[in-house]
Amino acid sequence: MYHNPVMPTECLEGLNINPEGTYVDVTFGGGGHSLKILEQLKGGRLIAFDQDEDAKRQAENIQSRSFTFCQANFRYMKQYLKLNGVTKVDGVLADLGVSSHQIDSAERGFSTRFDGPLDMRMDKKGKQTAAKVLNDYPEEKLHKILGMYGEVKNAKTLAHAIVQQRAVKKFERNQELISVLQTIAPRGREFKYFAQVFQALRIEVNEEMQALEDFLHQCGEVINKGGRLVVMSYHSLEDRMVKNYINTGKVFGEVEKDFYGNKLKPFEAVTRKPIEASEEEVERNNRARSAKLRVAERI
């Protein structure tokens, strides 16, 4: 197993596992969290999702009658649960980080450290790639996604620089993008800047925000009363959506109320503030540094 799961103990405590219950791990990755859940099941069932080929190969190593793997994006959770004869579950876990294994594979194009093709597809069958976004999107649209998904401060300047560069030569590889970024990245903060730009492209290529919204709404439909939703996010954009969904039943906007003024929302937060990794864990695993874990109960 190549995945060092972030906050495994906190995730399992959040799920509050009933050994005979049905659970879903919608981001299987290297299987770290799934294995921990399986250890606690006696007669229960775990259904795991991941669209990645490498994750599928990892899942094939798990020889447990309680385990089912679905090679699909979690935005199709409800559909695949139905295919497996499941309509209601007792808990759902989502770890929204990109697995370190994906980042470390140069050919996937996620990494700012290794040169590789500008790909960034989580699902290799997807049509969109980072190169296509850089080469085909109009300047205003690049400006928007860099600002929104990467929280890049000089997004407008960068979008303009990308458009000028692609007129000379189309983008194909990571290093070509990085050489443009180097000219406008803030001094001394280059690596953080590269990471923000790569994050924006990855989110756009994989439609991560739309997928997260689709997934969250399905949680309200499939989780049993008293069941738990446990979500770990790594950047403020995702965390904001998760927090808002738990508090209002929607990823954006205000909570709706019924005729009597009761809030119409499926979940109640179990943790007022997000749970963060301990200093010891952050020292062991740098990915845990930005992780925020939220736990909610179906009401």
Side-chain angles (χ1 to χ4, degrees):
M1 291 290 166
Y2 51 72
H3 180 54
N4 199 356
V6 174
M7 292 195 262
T9 314
E10 294 85 340
C11 287
L12 285 168
E13 281 171 6
L15 281 171
N16 193 16
I17 288 175
N18 159 15
E20 292 174 7
T22 301
Y23 293 87
V24 187
D25 176 356
V26 294
T27 45
F28 179 81
H33 288 118
S34 278
L35 287 173
K36 298 259 186 241
I37 295 169
L38 283 167
E39 282 169 13
Q40 297 202 12
L41 295 181
K42 303 269 182 295
R45 183 168 180 196
L46 173 66
I47 298 150
F49 284 74
D50 208 301
Q51 55 193 5
D52 193 89
E53 275 298 326
D54 295 327
K56 182 177 175 234
R57 280 192 287 277
Q58 287 293 336
E60 283 160 3
N61 298 325
I62 297 182
Q63 302 296 317
S64 164
R65 307 233 318 259
S66 314
F67 180 71
T68 309
F69 180 78
C70 303
Q71 189 176 5
N73 185 307
F74 63 32
R75 72 193 303 177
Y76 307 117
M77 172 175 73
K78 199 175 146 188
Q79 207 173 316
Y80 277 84
L81 288 176
K82 214 174 190 168
L83 286 173
N84 284 286
V86 175
T87 49
K88 290 284 188 191
V89 303
D90 300 297
V92 175
L93 170 68
D95 174 354
L96 303 174
V98 183
S99 85
S100 41
H101 173 78
Q102 285 175 328
I103 289 179
D104 294 340
S105 310
E107 73 278 2
R108 301 295 293 273
F110 289 109
S111 175
T112 55
R113 288 177 307 172
F114 310 112
D115 189 31
L118 279 161
D119 188 326
M120 302 199 197
R121 289 172 301 172
M122 302 261 191
D123 176 358
K124 300 218 180 107
K125 296 187 289 291
K127 298 270 189 288
Q128 186 70 287
T129 64
K132 280 190 178 160
V133 171
L134 291 166
N135 293 326
D136 302 345
Y137 275 27
E139 191 170 323
E140 308 75 77
K141 197 169 177 188
L142 284 171
H143 172 199
K144 190 176 154 197
I145 66 162
L146 291 163
M148 204 161 71
Y149 297 159
E151 300 180 276
V152 174
K153 293 274 189 287
N154 57 358
K156 193 172 181 169
T157 311
L158 174 55
H160 188 63
I162 288 168
V163 171
Q164 283 186 306
Q165 176 55 40
R166 75 187 186 193
V168 181
K169 182 188 181 295
K170 294 271 193 206
F171 288 95
E172 287 170 21
R173 303 188 67 79
N174 287 4
Q175 287 309 329
E176 297 166 349
L177 174 58
I178 289 203
S179 54
V180 172
L181 300 183
Q182 263 158 346
T183 61
I184 54 178
R187 290 277 158 264
R189 309 213 15 242
E190 291 85 354
F191 287 109
K192 181 168 197 277
Y193 187 79
F194 300 164
Q196 287 173 298
V197 173
F198 273 60
Q199 171 182 298
L201 289 168
R202 191 197 80 216
I203 289 173
E204 177 65 18
V205 167
N206 297 292
E207 297 186 350
E208 289 177 35
M209 294 299 131
Q210 295 91 317
L212 178 57
E213 182 170 356
D214 293 350
F215 157 72
L216 288 169
H217 287 296
Q218 291 171 37
C219 289
E221 297 171 38
V222 304
I223 296 178
N224 279 321
K225 219 179 237 169
R228 293 287 181 87
L229 170 63
V230 179
V231 186
M232 188 147 46
S233 49
Y234 295 80
H235 56 83
S236 54
L237 206 63
E238 287 174 336
D239 182 54
R240 218 171 299 143
M241 284 172 75
V242 174
K243 176 185 172 183
N244 213 39
Y245 176 70
I246 291 170
N247 291 339
T248 68
K250 297 195 293 203
V251 291
F252 303 111
E254 299 293 311
V255 67
E256 288 175 25
K257 295 183 174 167
D258 70 8
F259 184 69
Y260 301 102
N262 301 312
K263 290 180 177 178
L264 294 171
K265 57 174 202 158
F267 290 95
E268 199 60 68
V270 172
T271 48
R272 272 289 314 283
K273 286 184 131 139
I275 300 165
E276 295 183 4
S278 66
E279 284 173 26
E280 297 86 65
E281 180 170 3
V282 172
E283 270 171 33
R284 276 199 320 275
N285 182 1
N286 192 36
R287 287 179 63 242
R289 183 179 303 280
S290 55
K292 285 188 163 47
L293 182 70
R294 292 188 184 271
V295 181
E297 189 166 297
R298 184 76 172 88
I299 45 181

